[in-house]
Amino acid sequence: MTSHQASQSKPARSAPQRRGSIRGRQGLAGWLFIAPIILILGLFLVIPVLMAAWVSVSDWTGRGSPFSGSVNFVGTENYSTILGGEGLIGRDFGTSIRNNFYYVVLVVPLQTALSLFLAVMVNRQILKGRGFFRTAFYFPSVTSSVAITVLWLFLFSATGVVNKVLSFFAIEGPNWFQDPRGVLHILLGVVGLDQAPDALQDPAFLGISGWEWLAGPSVAMTAFVLMAIFTTSGTFMLLFIAALQNVSGEVQEAAMMDGATGWQRFRRVTLPMLRPTLFTVLTLGLIGTWQVFDQIYTGTQGGPAKTTLTPAYLSFNSAFVDQQWGVGAAIAFVLFAIIVVLTLVQRWALRERDVPRRRRMVPAGVSGGSSAAAAPGIAAPKDEKRDTH
Amino acid sequence: MKTAHPRKRLAVAITAASMLALTACGGSGFDESAEEGGEQTQATDAPVSVLIGSSGDAETEAVNTAVDAWASESGVEASVIVASDLTQQLSQGFASGEPADVFYLSTDAFAGYAANGSLEPYGEDLENKDDYYPALREAFTYEDQLYCAPKDFSTLGLIINTAMWEEAGLTEEDIPTNWDELSAVAEQLTTDDVVGLGFSPEFQRLGVFTAQAGGGLVTDGEATVASPENAEALGYVKQMMTDGVAAYSSDLGAGWGGEAFGKGLAAMVIEGNWIAGAMTNDFPDIAYQVAELPAGPSGQGTLQFTNCWGIAADSDNVEGAKALVEHLTSPESQLAFAEAFGVMPSLQSVASDWSEQYPDLAAFIAGGEYAQNLPAQQGAADVLSELNSQLESLESSEPQQILESVQPLMESVLAG
């Protein structure tokens, strides 16, 4: 036990000397050891990405190698086609960004809140049959997304179970997957605003009018939103449970002794300690929701009236179906840029601000310990900050 | 940051160099296969692979039988691959330089592949090329060259639920021959639970009305989406929908017209000959009858759909592939396919045999005389899907406005 502890704490303490010794044979050995994975990643990740980058600035038609002599460099032509909002593909791209934007805005907060809520619930000692509930909530995540999509199409059909249940409450459910009306448009219609005001009729951004941007997710997309929340909150619940189990009982007890109520303990003690996990969940959520594809491909193929078209599906469709490989690759890179930018924004928003020490309810040591354990693989913002100094 | 140690730099350089080498290998590999193809003209013994998008076991079985028969006759090895996603698998094949030799090719994808040189233009060499329906030949002609042999075709007809027809007091005499009669019978057939006429929410069905009105999306190479004929046709459809005597299958809670018909949600639907198979398999208890579509202001009109047997320019055995296609499009093969999965032969000389054999479906092949093709220029499929997305809300929008918003899109497709 003691030797184990010693070996664990050693690297941190003797880091400066170790860094020096890399000059020796160990450095070469290190490179040798990681060479296989560099080769594999290079072959199956870096090279394809570079090839795709080349395709996105070329006029490759999908026949033979993109590096053959007949393929020309066309600069940013493909990018300006989709970002200029001109022509059909530009408008389709704008529509797909609009659709996906509402999908992300709804899914990410809701699934995070729900998974946190579920995690807190099934983490309580008092709950009987915790194992059962954990399994039950996690189950949708294990099932294939294609199978769930088929199930969803069935549940939300015009005469499906969901509408049957709604009819018990005298609500006439919509024909979910066939209804292209935007939810916000429906709500605006209730207050009598069912036509676009003149100011919102012209193309505003990416070839779509302001009125179209304000459509909100269509009824069909809402069904997908519900599905995403249903399937992913189980996975993220698992992450939160892991993090919650790292919050030591002593901290809770101490807070209790200070007279904190249940809600205060959650808000001021538990939640700050979950920050690294929250970051993980939000990041994974953002990436996953911007890349939504399977559901669209197996479910609606972008319909009804293109309201479930997403950039990922549009990229696939332009490349494989329309033979517009350059445009398809360009869409994929724009999507990549969106994800990177949003992740950075989110990281900035969740950064640990310099709170005066006396206002903190959590000792710094405990918080640091939990972050390392709770978010394996993803560096907590706090740790990052420490490294850069 | 401190400068990297020389050895570290060396290691990075080695890794980078080896990666570049790998790229180079990959690159030249692709090049080779792309250059090799298309130049081979002599018959070889290279095996021929056939990629099909099958509608089911019956079709797979029939194609397998025909291909096996040719293989044992010619001595060239041939195999059939059933694609799970034909478009994607074809694209993958062409991009890698190792495409299937022979494949189903839809009119949607045809122009794109013809333009980028993926297809072998063998159509003009076919012995029976003059026997194909002219409209089918036109569908697979690119820059005045017939590229590939039309495999078979389907047209749209009016499918009538005979039980409901009799219940509404209608007889054989009442089968509609013009628009007025059509809306009249649709009204008579409409009840609380059943709508008179149903169709899938797409131009691939509604287009029959524009054809009957003398319109079309493209006329003599010009975009005519916003023509008064088309507006009149859509206006007529919209009127029937507003009157509650016609509806989209999606609004009825069905995936397509055939399903709405089979479930008894619509008394009549506009569908193609594939409905025969669907009815036999899924709804064997429903009695139905097929009639020719009624005439509009400008006479009879319907739409036709077709595929051809494409041959890859990069095929290792183009001559063998051609011989195989000759065999697959022979009258005997076409009649065998018709029997197996209900398609109509693309050869005019076989049409009368076919009608004799399937008198119940004769209305479909009669439509071949006046059927229109949908526009198939590169990019036209996207314009069609844009049109379809707007047609979904036809009931609440102005037909002319829909058509006018699609007109410039079609113009740009034809221009580019």
Side-chain angles (χ1 to χ4, degrees):
Chain A
M1 190 67 201
T2 39
S3 68
H4 181 65
Q5 272 174 346
S7 72
Q8 248 190 351
S9 57
K10 201 175 173 187
R13 239 183 277 144
S14 57
Q17 291 127 309
R18 292 275 308 245
R19 205 167 278 156
S21 71
I22 278 182
R23 288 167 204 275
R25 299 169 57 89
Q26 280 182 13
L28 193 62
W31 279 105
L32 271 177
F33 275 116
I34 59 167
I37 198 70
I38 287 185
L39 276 180
I40 291 171
L41 279 183
L43 197 57
F44 294 107
L45 191 79
V46 179
I47 293 176
V49 167
L50 292 178
M51 277 171 85
W54 161 245
V55 168
S56 80
V57 292
S58 78
D59 62 355
W60 186 53
T61 55
R63 184 176 174 229
S65 163
F67 298 118
S68 73
S70 59
V71 179
N72 305 308
F73 176 72
V74 296
T76 55
E77 197 180 285
N78 293 323
Y79 288 92
S80 57
T81 310
I82 54 168
L83 294 175
E86 277 160 30
L88 197 48
I89 187 71
R91 254 167 51 193
D92 282 353
F93 180 71
T95 311
S96 72
I97 292 285
R98 193 263 325 256
N99 298 338
N100 214 339
F101 169 77
Y102 282 112
Y103 182 79
V104 173
V105 161
L106 285 175
V107 171
V108 173
L110 287 176
Q111 80 185 7
T112 309
L114 180 65
S115 53
L116 180 57
F117 175 76
L118 290 178
V120 172
M121 287 298 127
V122 300
N123 198 40
R124 300 171 81 169
Q125 301 292 337
I126 200 166
L127 182 72
K128 287 210 175 90
R130 284 193 293 168
F132 168 76
F133 283 108
R134 285 180 193 185
T135 317
F137 292 141
Y138 188 61
F139 204 69
S141 312
V142 188
T143 318
S144 125
S145 63
V146 174
I148 297 257
T149 309
V150 174
L151 175 79
W152 226 249
L153 290 175
F154 174 69
L155 289 178
F156 282 77
S157 77
T159 52
V161 180
V162 173
N163 280 358
K164 286 267 160 63
V165 172
L166 285 176
S167 69
F168 287 140
F169 302 98
I171 301 171
E172 202 191 324
N175 188 354
W176 293 87
F177 279 110
Q178 303 295 339
D179 197 334
R181 287 176 303 158
V183 171
L184 285 180
H185 274 182
I186 295 176
L187 291 178
L188 289 172
V190 171
V191 297
L193 195 65
D194 53 6
Q195 284 297 319
D198 289 342
L200 293 176
Q201 253 164 358
D202 292 326
F205 178 57
L206 293 177
I208 312 202
S209 73
W211 179 246
E212 282 301 310
W213 277 104
L214 283 180
S218 68
V219 174
M221 190 52 117
T222 316
F224 277 129
V225 167
L226 293 173
M227 184 170 103
I229 296 169
F230 173 71
T231 48
T232 46
S233 25
T235 320
F236 294 139
M237 174 193 78
L238 215 61
L239 290 184
F240 278 125
I241 290 178
L244 282 171
Q245 289 181 347
N246 265 297
V247 177
S248 78
E250 291 147 34
V251 183
Q252 295 286 355
E253 275 174 29
M256 253 187 265
M257 294 304 289
D258 287 344
T261 65
W263 172 249
Q264 280 174 330
R265 284 206 306 279
F266 176 74
R267 173 74 190 77
R268 322 274 322 221
V269 181
T270 315
L271 206 54
M273 293 173 77
L274 293 181
R275 190 203 305 270
T277 313
L278 203 61
F279 178 79
T280 312
V281 167
L282 286 174
T283 308
L284 292 178
L286 265 181
I287 295 173
T289 48
W290 273 108
Q291 291 178 337
V292 55
F293 177 81
D294 319 12
Q295 295 90 317
I296 312 298
Y297 180 76
T298 42
T300 58
Q301 312 261 309
K306 300 193 178 175
T307 57
T308 59
L309 195 65
T310 65
Y313 182 74
L314 187 65
S315 164
F316 166 82
N317 211 49
S318 323
F320 283 95
V321 179
D322 297 341
Q323 302 295 309
Q324 303 266 2
W325 294 84
V327 169
I331 293 174
F333 277 96
V334 173
L335 190 59
F336 170 72
I338 291 174
I339 292 174
V340 168
V341 168
L342 286 182
T343 308
L344 290 177
V345 167
Q346 194 236 120
R347 201 176 145 145
W348 172 82
L350 270 188
R351 77 196 185 281
E352 193 157 357
R353 292 165 185 87
D354 280 330
V355 186
R357 190 159 278 272
R358 64 174 182 282
R359 275 190 56 200
R360 282 194 191 174
M361 298 190 74
V362 191
V366 177
S367 152
S370 77
S371 72
I378 301 231
K382 189 179 169 127
D383 293 0
E384 283 288 319
K385 210 168 155 193
R386 206 180 277 157
D387 282 352
T388 52
H389 283 307
Chain B
M1 197 187 148
K2 272 190 264 176
T3 47
H5 188 265
R7 186 163 283 159
K8 210 186 215 167
R9 251 192 272 165
L10 183 71
V12 173
I14 290 172
T15 324
S18 60
M19 263 158 52
L20 273 176
L22 279 168
T23 337
C25 286
S28 68
F30 289 128
D31 278 342
E32 240 167 72
S33 50
E35 279 158 17
E36 254 173 34
E39 283 157 26
Q40 170 268 343
T41 44
Q42 292 300 305
T44 67
D45 290 338
V48 174
S49 58
V50 182
L51 182 70
I52 65 169
S54 177
S55 62
D57 290 345
E59 183 165 358
T60 312
E61 193 77 11
V63 177
N64 259 323
T65 313
V67 170
D68 286 348
W70 177 80
S72 57
E73 200 178 285
S74 67
V76 176
E77 218 177 292
S79 58
V80 176
I81 308 155
V82 179
S84 52
D85 185 332
L86 184 68
T87 329
Q88 188 205 321
Q89 278 168 257
L90 266 184
S91 294
Q92 257 170 351
F94 287 131
S96 69
E98 292 288 333
D101 303 280
V102 178
F103 43 84
Y104 282 13
L105 185 61
S106 71
T107 44
D108 281 354
F110 167 73
Y113 290 136
N116 71 18
S118 299
L119 296 180
E120 176 73 24
Y122 68 93
E124 302 294 341
D125 307 341
L126 289 170
E127 271 171 40
N128 51 7
K129 66 172 172 151
D130 294 324
D131 194 10
Y132 292 106
Y133 281 91
L136 295 179
R137 273 213 313 264
E138 187 195 308
F140 297 111
T141 300
Y142 179 81
E143 293 185 343
D144 296 331
Q145 251 192 320
L146 177 63
Y147 264 68
C148 51
K151 182 168 77 74
D152 47 40
F153 79 116
S154 310
T155 59
L156 296 175
L158 187 66
I159 323 293
I160 298 167
N161 183 319
T162 41
M164 291 179 184
W165 189 261
E166 280 161 20
E167 212 168 292
L170 295 164
T171 64
E172 193 78 6
E173 301 286 287
D174 297 310
I175 289 180
T177 55
N178 60 42
W179 282 7
D180 289 340
E181 289 176 24
L182 179 67
S183 27
V185 293
E187 194 178 342
Q188 269 179 283
L189 287 164
T190 303
T191 66
D192 288 346
D193 307 319
V194 181
V195 67
L197 178 62
F199 28 72
S200 306
E202 50 188 7
F203 189 81
Q204 283 84 336
R205 300 292 174 279
L206 301 188
V208 299
F209 294 106
T210 59
Q212 290 155 12
L217 298 179
V218 175
T219 316
D220 299 329
E222 296 283 323
T224 49
V225 181
S227 68
E229 290 87 3
N230 292 348
E232 184 188 3
L234 292 186
Y236 169 68
V237 175
K238 181 184 169 177
Q239 188 57 48
M240 279 203 288
M241 292 172 85
T242 331
D243 293 346
V245 302
Y248 285 143
S249 54
S250 52
D251 291 332
L252 300 169
W256 63 293
E259 191 186 340
F261 185 75
K263 285 182 172 169
L265 304 167
M268 302 185 289
V269 289
I270 296 171
E271 274 300 336
N273 26 325
W274 48 82
I275 197 169
M279 294 304 288
T280 319
N281 294 331
D282 303 337
F283 310 101
D285 300 333
I286 301 232
Y288 66 97
Q289 177 188 355
V290 183
E292 282 186 65
L293 286 162
S298 156
Q300 283 190 293
T302 187
L303 296 178
Q304 65 180 7
F305 304 94
T306 181
N307 270 302
C308 80
W309 288 107
I311 293 182
D314 290 340
S315 166
D316 296 329
N317 191 353
V318 172
E319 290 304 312
K322 274 190 210 169
L324 173 58
V325 171
E326 293 263 8
H327 173 79
L328 292 172
T329 51
S330 66
E332 303 77 53
S333 297
Q334 292 222 16
L335 282 173
F337 290 155
E339 191 181 346
F341 52 96
V343 289
M344 300 193 297
S346 51
L347 295 168
Q348 294 174 36
S349 58
V350 198
S352 57
D353 289 350
W354 192 86
S355 335
E356 270 166 40
Q357 229 169 328
Y358 308 99
D360 295 347
L361 303 175
F364 284 127
I365 208 157
E369 299 295 326
Y370 48 84
Q372 265 189 10
N373 288 313
L374 286 171
Q377 287 79 2
Q378 196 174 9
D382 285 343
V383 177
L384 266 176
S385 73
E386 170 67 22
L387 176 60
N388 285 341
S389 81
Q390 297 202 37
L391 285 178
E392 282 180 41
S393 52
L394 174 65
E395 211 182 328
S396 60
S397 38
E398 204 48 57
Q400 188 67 37
Q401 237 169 26
I402 295 180
L403 295 169
E404 266 163 24
S405 72
V406 177
Q407 170 77 17
L409 303 173
M410 189 61 92
E411 280 169 9
S412 70
V413 159
L414 295 180

